[in-house]
Structures are given as C-alpha cells and as structure tokens.
Amino acid sequence: MINRAGVHVKDLINVDNVIESIKHHKDFSKTGVIGLFIGVVRGETLEGGVKVEKLVLEAYEEKADEVLEQICNDLTQKPGIVDVQIHHLTGEFSVGDDLVYVAVAGSHREQVFPVLQEAVERYKSEVPIFKKECVLDETGKSEYWVSEKHC
C-alpha cells in the first residue's frame, strides 16, 4: 500500500494505486463518493499559443512530503471527509502524461467537491515543486523554470 501523500518518481505510482489505497482505508465503509483530480501536461503554455514539448518536475522532497501530508491531515478533519490523498510525480513528462493525483473520499458529493478543490489549490501554492517548461515557438526551442519566466 502507498502512503496517503508524497512525491513519487514518474511511473512508480498510478491512479489505480491511489484508488486502491483509498478503498483500503479503515473507514472506507463511510464513503459514498471518491472525487479525483488528475493533473496532466498541457500541450501549450498557460499564456496560450506556445507549444510545450515536455516538462521537467523536481521537488524538495522532504519538505514536499511534509507539506502534502499536512494538507491531507488538515482536510481530513472536515465534516464528512474520510480520506484525502495527494501524490505528485517528478521526472520528465510528455504532453498528456499524468503529473498529480488528488483524491478525496467522503460521505457526500457536497462535502467532497469543495475539499477536492481546496486540496488542489493548496498543493499548488504550498508545496515546493519546481517546473521547467521546454517549449517550441517561432524563435525555436527554449526552456525555463516557470518561476524564472514570471520574475
């Protein structure tokens, strides 16, 4: 069984592992809904129009694991929530590859959907994961760490 949260090297975990782990939670019998978010590599930059060839993701693993676990612990305390899992992948990714799995198990959809959204927003803003975009535009190929481009 996998831990409920963490950073993993690409191909060492998949969405089936996450769902299976949730179904083995000790309180799974209280679950009526599993909400799932799968982040994938988009084929163009966020600004649009520039073709993304690949992404490279790295993490400050110790801190990332700690923060991911804390987010899951915090959100599991919300009413009706049975389990929260966040698994972020690292390595080199092609367009369409999975990057992150966020799963929330709970009693009812009205409880699960807001927690799923909060889990996504929190991991994106709190977890030390670094993204390098490798793009192709009219001037040719280039690559940059996303935070560098926005500075």
Side-chain angles (χ1 to χ4, degrees):
M1 240 348 90
I2 58 175
N3 290 333
R4 72 190 304 201
V7 174
H8 311 274
V9 175
K10 180 184 175 190
D11 297 328
L12 293 184
I13 187 172
N14 61 46
V15 69
D16 293 334
N17 303 133
V18 176
I19 292 170
E20 191 64 27
S21 177
I22 284 178
K23 288 185 174 185
H24 282 88
H25 189 280
K26 65 181 176 54
D27 291 328
F28 184 72
S29 64
K30 297 176 183 176
T31 299
V33 177
I34 298 173
L36 185 62
F37 171 87
I38 303 173
V40 299
V41 178
R42 186 177 35 252
E44 62 179 39
T45 60
L46 190 56
E47 299 82 25
V50 179
K51 180 181 178 186
V52 172
E53 291 197 317
K54 68 179 180 180
L55 293 182
V56 178
L57 295 179
E58 296 179 3
Y60 172 15
E61 285 189 43
E62 261 182 40
K63 186 65 174 173
D65 287 347
E66 178 184 312
V67 173
L68 288 168
E69 185 67 34
Q70 186 60 55
I71 293 168
C72 291
N73 288 339
D74 292 350
L75 296 177
T76 301
Q77 302 306 310
K78 294 195 178 255
I81 301 302
V82 173
D83 194 14
V84 177
Q85 295 196 12
I86 306 172
H87 301 278
H88 209 299
L89 307 179
T90 59
E92 190 172 300
F93 300 86
S94 300
V95 172
D97 285 349
D98 295 354
L99 297 171
V100 62
Y101 306 115
V102 180
V104 178
S107 299
H108 303 283
R109 68 184 179 277
E110 295 86 4
Q111 296 162 323
V112 166
F113 291 151
V115 171
L116 182 61
Q117 183 170 358
E118 184 176 347
V120 171
E121 298 305 326
R122 284 191 60 187
Y123 94 72
K124 290 186 77 65
S125 67
E126 297 175 26
V127 180
I129 295 183
F130 312 102
K131 176 171 69 171
K132 182 190 287 185
E133 283 185 329
C134 304
V135 299
L136 178 62
D137 63 15
E138 63 278 349
T139 63
K141 292 184 180 188
S142 63
E143 57 184 51
Y144 50 85
W145 292 100
V146 171
S147 60
E148 291 176 346
K149 186 173 186 216
H150 298 290
C151 291

